[in-house]
Amino acid sequence: MSGGTHTLPPDIGSLVRLVLAASLIFCTLLPSVGWSAEQASALDLSGLSVDPLKASPGKVVVLIFVRTDCPISNRYAPTIQRLSAQHPGKTAFWLVYPDRAESPEAIRKHERDFGYLLPALRDVQRTLVQQSHVQITPEAAVYDVHHRLVYHGRIDNLYEDFGRARSAATTHELEDAILAAIHGGSLAAESVPAVGCYIADLP
């Protein structure tokens, strides 16, 4: 065999170049595909990945963002429980804990202490926070049966400001949003600022 330059037949050379180009495209796209799949879910208290929208087909999905140590968030526990029981079979409520420092054990204790009977998720990657455009605990996000975000914001107007509350709420934004999502109605506002504890380290 001589030491001269060897060339591949044109048809084989074209095939090799095509395979290399396809491999390059696949390797370029792979990280983004994996990122999207990962970002679609939060974690349940057992560490399993859960997408609350896909886990609740045909239902209005209500995400309630809470923290174990937020006093305003904790005061809303009875209201959240009451709303979650109003439309059985039509709504799916989830508690979402966006604080990365809150362990599954701390969340289980929080649920016991405040009588929660709702499934809980740890949004350590802030996936649901970003999807729902929330910044505060407590804050609610309502998705219709087609998984479209129809409302995000306060639960009601009980709190005028941090540490300043009315004797009773006079508007009920979350309840109105749930009814609108169930019956296909419209809302006066798709987002109303919440009062409570800011979610730390938001981008």
Side-chain angles (χ1 to χ4, degrees):
M1 181 179 295
S2 64
T5 302
H6 296 275
T7 58
L8 294 171
D11 54 339
I12 297 180
S14 299
L15 180 60
V16 170
R17 286 192 291 273
L18 181 61
V19 170
L20 290 174
S23 299
L24 179 61
I25 293 172
F26 179 78
C27 291
T28 302
L29 292 177
L30 186 58
S32 62
V33 171
W35 185 88
S36 298
E38 179 184 351
Q39 295 302 306
S41 302
L43 299 177
D44 68 13
L45 299 186
S46 299
L48 298 177
S49 181
V50 176
D51 183 330
L53 298 179
K54 292 181 180 178
S56 311
K59 294 183 179 181
V60 170
V61 176
V62 183
L63 306 181
I64 307 290
F65 294 80
V66 297
R67 270 175 49 182
T68 61
D69 61 350
C70 180
I72 295 180
S73 177
N74 288 336
R75 184 173 177 182
Y76 271 101
T79 300
I80 294 167
Q81 284 292 103
R82 175 180 60 80
L83 290 174
S84 69
Q86 282 187 341
H87 305 283
K90 294 184 178 181
T91 61
F93 273 66
W94 299 77
L95 295 178
V96 181
Y97 292 79
D99 190 333
R100 296 186 178 101
E102 291 177 332
S103 67
E105 292 74 22
I107 292 172
R108 290 189 182 99
K109 182 179 185 303
H110 182 248
E111 290 190 295
R112 290 194 302 270
D113 289 347
F114 288 90
Y116 278 122
L117 302 175
L118 304 175
L121 297 173
R122 298 177 63 233
D123 193 20
V124 294
Q125 299 299 326
R126 305 294 172 78
T127 306
L128 300 179
V129 166
Q130 293 178 27
Q131 285 182 184
S132 303
H133 307 295
V134 301
Q135 297 181 323
I136 298 288
T137 60
E139 192 165 352
V142 179
Y143 291 81
D144 66 14
V145 295
H146 304 293
H147 299 173
R148 294 177 299 207
L149 180 64
V150 297
Y151 174 77
H152 64 93
R154 69 188 184 189
I155 295 171
D156 57 33
N157 72 341
L158 179 64
Y159 279 86
E160 301 177 69
D161 201 348
F162 198 93
R164 190 156 59 97
R166 295 177 170 86
S167 57
T170 59
T171 65
H172 306 275
E173 285 81 4
L174 176 55
E175 189 169 4
D176 293 343
I178 293 170
L179 290 172
I182 291 174
H183 300 294
S186 58
L187 292 171
E190 296 178 355
S191 176
V192 180
V195 175
C197 307
Y198 279 96
I199 299 171
D201 304 325
L202 289 180

